[in-house]
Amino acid sequence: MTQVVDMPVTGDRSWLERLVFHGIVFHMSWEDPEMDRQALDLTPDDSVVSISSGGCNPLNFLCQNPRRLICVDGNPAQNAILELKLAAIRSLDYQTFFDIFAARRPSVVCRVYRPRLRPQLSARSAAFWDENLWMVARGLYNFGRLGLFCRILRRYLALLGIGPNLIEDFFQRHTLREQTDLYRTRVAPRLWGPWSRQFVMFRPLLYLCGVHPQQYRLVNGRHDMYEYVKERVEYLLTQVPVRDNYFLSQAVSGRFRGQHVPPYLRPENFQTLRQNLDRVLIVNGWLGPFLDTLPPDLITKFNLLDIFDWMSPAMFEATLRSVLRAARVGARLIYRSGSYQLDPPPAILPHLERHDDLARRLLATDRSGTYGSFYVMTVKSKPESEV
């Protein structure tokens, strides 16, 4: 059984945040693992801290043989997904694992859950899946807040005339030029009509796809949300090869195509995952308070997703101070933002070496098309109070 730590969750949360970010929000992680692989360059000596999200990011890291992997999320439902995946890796054969989590034959989970998976879960996650296993059995990617958004999106696209046949035609394009031609002639004229601004600017829909209220204010206040979404979509459909883009495939068709799946679902990585299960720690709680419980100079790699978009400036700085305290000098950290620019606070920046050229190069290959900026940094010194 994977070790799980439950920490007290402190701090005020608005009623909207409690409503929207309760239960499963992200049915899968929406960050391109190839960007993370190149940015972090994990080695067998690394101790990694990662936000759990849908569990894909941590498992993709586990494929790379780190010494230790700590998965943190303030939403226990997100960690319940990760626990279920870890239990499946431990107790099922690869094909059954793939059938469930690539959603090829997901109903098989009903047969194996109680005898094989449930005994491997923490009490909290077992109680969660006792009530919610039906979501996995019917295909996890259809459910959670993001799954509901994707179903609404597909209905909306069909109403615009962008139905399954056109989508399938798009995924058969072999070159960026072919993609761009199809987008300009058949997709864009239908997609960016008068209703699309209303669709994009309807906040409840954005909350469904995981946009935090604070993140909405950040992006819309700086860039205009509609123009931002349009730019990101056009980038994704004209600048990134579509054939192996499993993010786009899930969003617009509700399935993975062939073997175009996250690394942790590939057969060549299954035994590595199984061998590394005992290296995983799951934490239900906030990142900063958890890091403050660790010995200093312990962590060498941090995957922080877009958590700073959700924070006030004061919390942004406080969380990075906790990161610096737990980090070893030379540690690498990555984070993303919906904004085109979200630099570390001035008090923190002197302690970090930025790798902006690498970050820009990797962002230009991003298959998720979700984020406006990407940050790769190395800890070069510690605040005096942490030395």
Side-chain angles (χ1 to χ4, degrees):
M1 180 182 295
T2 302
Q3 183 182 0
V4 180
V5 173
D6 291 315
M7 296 191 64
V9 177
T10 59
D12 294 330
R13 302 176 71 190
S14 70
W15 68 268
L16 180 60
E17 185 176 357
R18 293 194 303 271
L19 175 66
V20 175
F21 292 91
H22 173 74
I24 293 175
V25 180
F26 304 103
H27 56 221
M28 61 182 275
S29 301
W30 221 259
E31 291 80 29
D32 191 330
E34 183 59 23
M35 293 173 60
D36 296 350
R37 186 189 67 80
Q38 294 188 46
L40 289 177
D41 191 23
L42 297 188
T43 74
D45 294 325
D46 279 321
S47 294
V48 183
V49 166
S50 177
I51 306 301
S52 302
S53 184
C56 310
N57 293 327
L59 292 177
N60 292 334
F61 294 140
L62 199 61
C63 295
Q64 299 169 53
N65 289 303
R67 179 192 299 272
R68 187 70 165 145
L69 176 61
I70 302 173
C71 313
V72 184
D73 209 293
N75 182 348
Q78 298 298 151
N79 277 333
I81 298 176
L82 178 56
E83 277 197 63
L84 191 69
K85 290 177 178 179
L86 290 168
I89 292 166
R90 187 183 299 275
S91 58
L92 304 179
D93 61 87
Y94 167 74
Q95 190 58 55
T96 306
F97 171 72
F98 184 82
D99 285 344
I100 295 170
F101 293 106
R104 298 294 167 81
R105 292 193 306 123
S107 62
V108 72
V109 75
C110 297
R111 176 171 54 83
V112 299
Y113 173 66
R114 289 199 173 270
R116 308 283 292 277
L117 303 182
R118 193 178 190 280
Q120 306 291 332
L121 302 177
S122 66
R124 175 182 245 171
S125 288
F128 179 85
W129 289 119
D130 286 351
E131 293 189 2
N132 295 289
L133 192 71
W134 61 271
M135 290 191 286
V136 182
R138 293 170 59 185
L140 181 61
Y141 305 108
N142 290 316
F143 300 101
R145 304 292 191 276
L146 184 56
L148 176 56
F149 170 81
C150 289
R151 282 187 285 150
I152 294 171
L153 174 64
R154 291 192 287 272
R155 293 284 185 89
Y156 177 70
L157 292 175
L159 289 173
L160 296 179
I162 306 173
N165 291 337
L166 178 53
I167 289 170
E168 189 62 35
D169 191 14
F170 196 84
F171 275 94
Q172 298 306 313
R173 301 300 94 186
H174 293 279
T175 68
L176 287 176
R177 182 172 181 175
E178 290 179 352
Q179 281 181 220
T180 300
D181 287 346
L182 185 59
Y183 171 75
R184 300 294 182 199
T185 58
R186 298 179 61 192
V187 176
R190 305 176 188 187
L191 183 57
W192 304 116
W195 286 101
S196 290
R197 176 174 284 275
Q198 301 302 317
F199 184 87
V200 168
M201 298 301 290
F202 187 52
R203 290 196 191 190
L205 286 177
L206 293 177
Y207 297 155
L208 283 180
C209 66
V211 176
H212 189 277
Q214 174 65 23
Q215 189 173 40
Y216 179 91
R217 289 189 290 269
L218 173 71
V219 176
N220 193 52
R222 291 184 174 187
H223 313 301
D224 180 271
M225 182 62 78
Y226 174 75
E227 293 299 333
Y228 172 83
V229 170
K230 184 177 180 181
E231 184 276 326
R232 289 285 80 201
V233 169
E234 291 193 335
Y235 148 80
L236 187 64
L237 299 185
T238 64
Q239 301 299 315
V240 180
V242 70
R243 288 179 63 84
D244 68 344
N245 191 336
Y246 64 82
F247 299 100
L248 184 63
S249 182
Q250 273 293 342
V252 301
S253 61
R255 63 185 176 90
F256 295 125
R257 284 173 157 75
Q259 292 299 309
H260 299 309
V261 295
Y264 80 92
L265 286 173
R266 297 173 189 161
E268 64 268 24
N269 290 324
F270 188 69
Q271 287 304 317
T272 300
L273 289 170
R274 179 170 282 178
Q275 293 166 7
N276 291 341
L277 290 173
D278 292 339
R279 304 180 187 186
V280 180
L281 170 67
I282 294 177
V283 179
N284 291 307
W286 301 132
L287 177 66
F290 169 72
L291 292 177
D292 291 342
T293 70
L294 297 179
D297 307 318
L298 181 67
I299 306 301
T300 58
K301 301 289 169 65
F302 295 84
N303 174 45
L304 304 179
L305 277 63
D306 59 341
I307 63 170
F308 301 129
D309 282 3
W310 301 27
M311 297 182 181
S312 67
M315 186 178 293
F316 187 5
E317 180 173 333
T319 302
L320 277 176
R321 287 192 180 277
S322 296
V323 168
L324 289 176
R325 177 192 168 279
R328 190 176 302 170
V329 172
R332 178 70 61 91
L333 65 94
I334 61 174
Y335 69 90
R336 293 162 163 87
S337 177
S339 174
Y340 292 119
Q341 184 171 1
L342 190 71
D343 294 330
I348 300 296
L349 201 50
H351 303 288
L352 299 171
E353 178 184 357
R354 302 178 60 141
H355 305 288
D356 291 343
D357 289 344
L358 174 62
R360 282 191 292 268
R361 177 174 63 80
L362 293 176
L363 184 63
T365 68
D366 182 13
R367 291 172 294 176
S368 80
T370 306
Y371 298 103
S373 56
F374 179 57
Y375 300 86
V376 183
M377 301 185 184
T378 298
V379 175
K380 65 180 183 180
S381 65
K382 312 266 279 188
E384 290 185 6
S385 60
E386 304 298 342
V387 176

